[in-house]
């Protein structure tokens, strides 16, 4: 495994990186789920984090947006180390970051317009009319005009995701995080979301981090792709580099056989007989995480 | 910080400057609405604006709506390429009359 | 055997953890109410009022029915048991004290636990599972300030109000029965009630109800916050919240009565 990790190519180490993760380690209880994560995202870049289920990509995203604290290491967003920043500085930083969750996470008790306006109401002193126009503008951007008064329960899956994007970008964030944009959507709708992501970067020069397991979507939008496997970074490369990689695991990912490809006989037997794996066995940790993390 | 309002050929020319962001948008909004209330055509000169976010753009939209209700006009002058991309993203280039510079705008108005 | 001991040990630890969590939530909610406005992050009055409507006003009909039934039941039982000693004339004193010190707070507490505690636990756990709580946090909104504090304060305001209302309804219903049986006027009955009750009795009952309110809100919040496992998890958490709330109310009731009357 160490040999694989070393394959990580040179990373852009510019000083104005909008995301910089250094030496990140994360545990669930005693079990380590992320190992030695190093990652940078440049301004205006679309970085896709890929991996199968249980690869740790969702956990990594939770650390990136400050929903989990790492056991060790630092996570810098727009120059602020969110593992150490005081509450007030975090509050300021939150204005410049947007997060679109996998299931949309719209507040079910509010209509679409109020959902989108909530960050403005909580963070700014703007006039109500200004906030409303801003929210409606964002609805236009995500192609959801006319849905203002609908409740989240009345929206289709694709509409929920677009409303979630509208809420995430309502404050014109410099940095947007997007969790599984394609999950649960049919190909046409998910392709439209990919176009939206590209459009946002183009027009608003946002830096965007997308977590996905959809290869097609990743190849379409990514400037660079980070491949995670069992809590470690396998490689960071541009689309062309990923395509021609001869690493077996990446090839497995490309062929969508990631799920069952990696289990050795001993682990498999232990799993079938329900015998607990020895602590600190990364192989077992990686497979067991399926149940817990997703 | 010095948004100047002057009168040229019976039109009001408002010059916005610097960064129009969440903190400064309320100020810009007040200025724009005050101008519109004077019931003259308004030209908003954005040539000295270095950055405008959606709160600034929302203020422009609101001012345009007020102007239309009063039967006057509000158009934009010298929109930066950055801002223009945001306008196009929300299809606002179809709503506002946008002129490259002040002379063109004045010619268009009269 | 060792397994059992281990299980009990873990259960106690988890219980202590949850009690500690509830205490921390309470302190944080109070802190937001006091300091929030200075940081431009107030506990919104509109949210508290909305909760007050749901918890208090909408519960009035059912609270009235239950209080009237309890009052009537107390009157019947008191007249019967005191009648065995020929002491019916003391029934009013017994009814007044029982209602105000014990039955009104208890019945309102249990009603609110079943009605609003379950609703809160279901709402919090659904929001947890749908990542709405995560969404609040990444927007920079404290879930304690935005969700828990309004419910907690609304409870602590409305439950004593409901209890006061239940006092009046229960005593009136009891009065209907007592006056008919003893052939006295309603005015004379209420004069007896007022003479029997001290401010202390009223404070005892209402004070307890504030405590019950906080218990229900915090138990629901803790259960909501610990939710996992999809729709099934919501159901499990909701049931657990109601059972724990009612158990907590009854135990705290006993402890409260013991501590206060002993002193």
């Amino acid at each position: 495994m160490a040999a694989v990790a070393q394959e990580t190519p040179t990373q852009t180490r510019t000083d104005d990186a909008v995301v910089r993760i250094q030496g990140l380690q994360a545990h669930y209880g005693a079990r380590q789920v992320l190992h030695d994560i190093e990652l940078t995202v440049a301004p205006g870049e679309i970085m896709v984090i890929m991996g199968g289920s249980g690869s740790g990509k969702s956990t990594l995203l939770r650390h990136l947006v400050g929903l989990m604290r790492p056991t060790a290491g630092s996570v810098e967003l727009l120059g602020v180390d969110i593992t150490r920043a005081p509450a007030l500085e975090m509050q300021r930083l939150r204005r410049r970051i947007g997060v679109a969750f996998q299931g949309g996470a719209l507040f079910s008790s509010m209509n679409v317009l109020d959902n989108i306006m909530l960050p403005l109401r909580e963070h700014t002193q703007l006039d109500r009319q200004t906030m409303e126009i801003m929210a409606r503008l964002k609805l236009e951007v995500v192609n959801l005009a006319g849905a203002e008064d609908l409740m989240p329960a009345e929206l289709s899956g694709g509409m929920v995701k677009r409303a979630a994007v509208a809420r995430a970008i309502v404050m014109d964030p410099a940095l947007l995080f997007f969790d599984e944009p394609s999950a649960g959507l049919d190909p046409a709708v998910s392709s439209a979301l990919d176009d939206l992501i590209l459009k946002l970067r183009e027009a608003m020069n946002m830096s965007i981090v997308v977590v996905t397991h959809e290869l097609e979507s990743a190849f379409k939008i990514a400037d660079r792709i980070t491949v995670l496997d069992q809590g470690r970074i396998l490689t960071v490369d541009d689309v062309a580099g990923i395509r021609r990689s001869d690493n077996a695991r990446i090839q497995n990912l490309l062929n969508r056989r990631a799920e069952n490809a990696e289990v050795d006989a001993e682990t498999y037997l232990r799993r079938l007989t329900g015998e607990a794996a020895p602590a600190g066995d990364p192989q077992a940790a990686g497979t067991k995480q399926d149940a817990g993390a997703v | 910080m010095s948004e100047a309002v002057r009168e040229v050929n019976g039109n009001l020319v408002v010059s916005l400057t610097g960064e129009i962001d969440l903190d400064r948008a309320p100020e810009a909004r007040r200025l724009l609405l005050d101008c519109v209330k004077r019931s003259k055509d308004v030209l908003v000169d954005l040539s000295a604006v270095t950055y405008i976010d959606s709160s600034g753009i929302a203020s422009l939209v609101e001012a345009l709506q007020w102007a239309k209700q009063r039967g006057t006009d509000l158009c934009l002058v010298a929109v930066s390429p950055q801002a223009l991309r945001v306008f196009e993203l929300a299809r606002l280039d179809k709503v506002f009359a946008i002129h490259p510079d002040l002379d063109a705008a004045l010619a268009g108005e009269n | 055997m060792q397994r059992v001991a281990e299980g009990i040990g873990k259960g106690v630890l988890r219980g202590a953890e949850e009690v500690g969590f509830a205490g921390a939530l309470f302190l944080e909610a109070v802190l937001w109410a006091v300091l929030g406005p200075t940081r431009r992050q107030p506990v919104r009055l509109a949210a508290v009022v909305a909760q007050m409507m749901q918890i208090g006003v909408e519960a009035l009909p059912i609270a009235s029915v239950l209080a009237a039934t309890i009052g009537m039941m107390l009157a019947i039982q008191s007249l019967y048991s005191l009648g065995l000693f020929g002491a019916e004339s003391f029934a009013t004193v017994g009814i007044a004290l029982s209602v105000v010190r014990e039955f009104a707070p208890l019945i309102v507490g249990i009603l609110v636990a079943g009605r609003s505690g379950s609703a809160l636990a279901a709402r919090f756990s659904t929001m947890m599972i749908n990542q709405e709580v995560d969404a609040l946090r990444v927007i920079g909104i404290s879930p304690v300030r935005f969700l828990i504090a309004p419910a907690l304060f609304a409870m602590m305001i409305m439950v004593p109000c409901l209890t006061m209302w239940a006092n009046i309804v229960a005593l009136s219903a009891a009065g209907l029965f007592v006056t008919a049986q003893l052939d006295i006027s309603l005015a004379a009955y209420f004069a007896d009630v007022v003479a029997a009750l001290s401010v202390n009795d009223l404070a005892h009952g209402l004070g307890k109800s504030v405590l019950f309110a906080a218990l229900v809100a915090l138990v629901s919040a803790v259960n909501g916050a610990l939710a996992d496992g999809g729709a099934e998890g919501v159901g499990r958490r909701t049931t657990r919240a109601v059972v724990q709330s009612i158990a907590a109310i009854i135990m705290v009731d006993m402890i409260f009565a013991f501590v206060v009357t002993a002193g």
Side-chain angles (χ1 to χ4, degrees):
Chain A
M1 181 156 298
V4 179
Q6 275 167 11
E7 203 186 67
T8 306
T10 51
Q11 295 179 356
T12 42
R13 282 239 159 214
T14 47
D15 269 323
D16 53 353
V18 288
V19 174
R20 167 166 295 138
I21 301 180
Q22 284 176 311
L24 182 132
Q25 320 279 350
H27 295 74
Y28 280 128
R31 185 162 48 91
Q32 184 155 9
V33 289
L34 292 176
H35 303 258
D36 315 313
I37 304 292
E38 306 270 336
L39 189 70
T40 57
V41 179
E45 184 177 32
I46 297 181
M47 167 66 86
V48 173
I49 299 174
M50 279 205 71
S53 60
S55 60
K57 61 187 194 302
S58 303
T59 309
L60 179 55
L61 183 72
R62 291 183 72 77
H63 281 88
L64 270 168
V65 300
L67 287 172
M68 288 177 75
R69 260 170 198 283
T71 342
S74 63
V75 179
E76 263 178 51
L77 304 182
L78 306 172
V80 177
D81 182 356
I82 63 170
T83 60
R84 282 175 194 79
L88 226 57
E89 197 173 359
M90 273 312 284
Q91 196 67 15
R92 268 200 302 276
L93 180 69
R94 292 276 180 218
R95 285 169 56 149
R96 305 175 58 207
I97 292 170
V99 184
F101 287 93
Q102 179 171 354
L106 299 177
F107 303 114
S108 48
S109 57
M110 300 177 192
N111 68 20
V112 169
L113 192 71
D114 285 334
N115 257 289
I116 297 171
M117 277 170 50
L118 186 68
L120 295 172
R121 280 206 319 227
E122 292 294 326
H123 281 288
T124 73
Q125 308 292 305
L126 294 172
D127 196 85
R128 182 172 169 101
Q129 186 65 27
T130 310
M131 292 196 229
E132 266 198 49
I133 295 173
M134 287 173 75
R136 286 175 205 277
L137 277 174
K138 293 296 152 55
L139 277 174
E140 291 286 343
V141 169
V142 301
N143 234 328
L144 211 56
E148 288 90 335
D149 297 328
L150 296 179
M151 299 303 282
E154 299 173 282
L155 305 179
S156 70
M159 288 166 89
V160 165
K161 296 234 179 182
R162 280 183 281 154
V165 174
R167 185 175 68 189
I169 62 173
V170 73
M171 312 251 295
D172 298 339
L175 186 52
L176 177 66
F177 294 93
F178 208 144
D179 191 11
E180 297 281 5
S182 331
L185 300 180
D186 66 63
V189 179
S190 108
S191 162
L193 266 174
D194 291 339
D195 291 336
L196 175 62
I197 291 171
L198 289 170
K199 230 165 54 171
L200 287 177
R201 191 264 300 270
E202 174 69 24
M204 305 174 82
N205 204 29
M206 278 178 200
S207 314
I208 304 177
V209 177
V210 179
V211 168
T212 185
H213 66 277
E214 276 293 324
L215 206 63
E216 210 173 303
S217 160
F219 282 171
K220 181 169 166 188
I221 59 179
D223 294 317
R224 286 190 301 153
I225 297 178
T226 298
V227 182
L228 270 187
D229 187 41
Q230 298 180 358
R232 294 172 196 274
I233 291 184
L234 212 54
T235 184
V236 181
D237 209 339
D238 57 20
V239 173
I242 297 282
R243 275 190 204 275
R244 62 169 182 265
S245 163
D246 51 6
N247 183 299
R249 290 202 176 133
I250 295 171
Q251 280 307 314
N252 274 329
L253 259 177
L254 291 175
N255 298 328
R256 297 166 190 243
R257 288 191 287 108
E259 303 290 319
N260 286 313
E262 292 300 323
V263 188
D264 63 69
E266 201 186 326
T267 312
Y268 186 43
L269 185 61
R270 270 206 301 269
R271 205 162 69 188
L272 288 177
T273 54
E275 201 180 308
D281 181 343
Q283 201 91 60
T287 49
K288 268 171 77 180
Q289 200 198 327
D290 278 10
V294 191
Chain B
M1 271 306 261
S2 58
E3 293 97 346
V5 181
R6 61 206 158 95
E7 215 173 308
V8 182
N9 299 345
N11 303 308
L12 288 179
V13 178
V14 193
S15 302
L16 300 179
T17 59
E19 298 194 355
I20 318 280
D21 54 13
L22 290 169
D23 297 320
R24 281 198 54 217
E27 193 188 327
R29 173 178 180 269
R30 231 172 298 121
L31 182 77
L32 288 167
L33 294 184
D34 282 345
C35 289
V36 171
K37 275 186 205 153
R38 286 159 66 177
S39 296
K40 287 185 176 133
D41 287 349
V42 178
L43 307 176
V44 185
D45 184 357
L46 298 172
S47 57
V49 170
T50 51
Y51 172 80
I52 183 163
D53 75 356
S54 30
S55 59
I57 293 173
S59 303
L60 289 170
V61 170
E62 194 182 354
L64 177 65
Q65 174 66 8
W66 279 43
K68 294 252 151 120
Q69 275 167 7
R70 265 152 222 273
T72 59
D73 204 2
L74 180 140
C75 53
L76 308 181
V77 177
V79 179
S80 73
Q82 168 258 329
L84 202 57
R85 283 206 304 269
V86 181
F87 274 81
E88 282 163 1
L89 183 67
R91 292 187 288 269
L92 282 174
D93 50 333
K94 307 216 185 326
V95 176
F96 285 102
I98 299 177
H99 300 286
D101 57 50
L102 209 53
D103 292 337
L106 288 168
E109 281 299 308
N110 299 321
Chain C
M1 202 57 213
Q2 200 194 341
R3 278 263 169 97
V4 176
E6 214 171 273
I8 293 173
K10 271 186 187 158
V12 169
L13 267 183
R14 203 172 45 231
E17 227 172 82
E18 288 181 18
V19 170
F21 185 26
L25 283 182
F26 182 80
L27 288 181
E28 200 183 331
V30 172
L31 215 63
W32 277 116
V34 176
L35 296 181
T38 63
R39 292 171 63 178
R40 280 198 185 149
Q41 296 176 61
V43 175
R44 300 219 183 264
L45 195 63
V48 179
V49 171
Q51 287 290 310
M52 280 168 69
M53 293 299 289
Q54 278 177 21
I55 292 162
V57 177
E58 288 170 22
L60 270 178
I62 182 69
S64 307
V65 170
L66 287 184
T69 313
I70 290 283
M72 199 72 97
M73 180 268 283
L74 265 177
I76 297 168
Q77 295 288 19
S78 304
L79 286 179
Y80 171 76
S81 51
L82 290 172
L84 295 176
F85 308 100
E88 287 101 333
S89 54
F90 291 110
T92 310
V93 179
I95 294 167
L97 288 177
S98 308
V99 165
V100 169
R101 289 176 67 95
E102 204 51 64
F103 281 95
L106 198 60
I107 203 71
V108 167
I110 290 173
L111 170 70
V112 169
R115 212 183 145 274
S116 304
S118 60
L120 283 179
R123 187 159 70 96
F124 291 153
S125 46
T126 308
M127 291 187 75
M128 197 73 193
I129 285 162
N130 289 346
Q131 290 194 294
E132 291 173 50
V133 175
D134 287 342
L136 281 176
R137 287 171 63 197
V138 300
I139 291 171
I141 301 173
S142 153
V144 175
R145 168 175 77 86
F146 197 78
L147 296 175
I148 295 174
L152 175 67
F153 297 136
M155 282 265 189
M156 291 175 70
I157 295 165
M158 288 319 275
V159 172
C161 293
L162 276 177
T163 303
M164 195 61 219
W165 173 248
N167 282 337
I168 295 165
V169 174
L171 289 173
S172 305
L176 291 179
F177 191 78
V178 171
T179 51
Q181 292 288 309
L182 299 186
D183 200 22
I184 56 172
S185 73
L186 209 55
Y189 165 78
F190 274 113
D192 281 354
V193 167
V194 171
L197 292 175
S198 66
V199 175
N200 200 2
D201 297 321
L202 210 57
H204 181 97
L206 295 181
K208 238 169 22 182
S209 75
V210 176
L211 213 57
F212 295 167
L215 280 176
V216 173
L218 292 173
V219 167
S220 308
V222 168
N223 275 294
L226 297 175
D228 51 15
E232 200 187 321
V234 173
R236 220 167 31 232
R237 282 293 159 183
T238 307
T239 310
R240 195 165 176 266
V242 174
V243 172
Q244 285 184 348
S245 296
I246 293 176
I249 285 175
I250 292 174
M251 279 191 273
V252 167
D253 189 20
M254 190 271 287
I255 294 167
F256 191 90
F258 179 78
V259 170
V260 172
T261 49

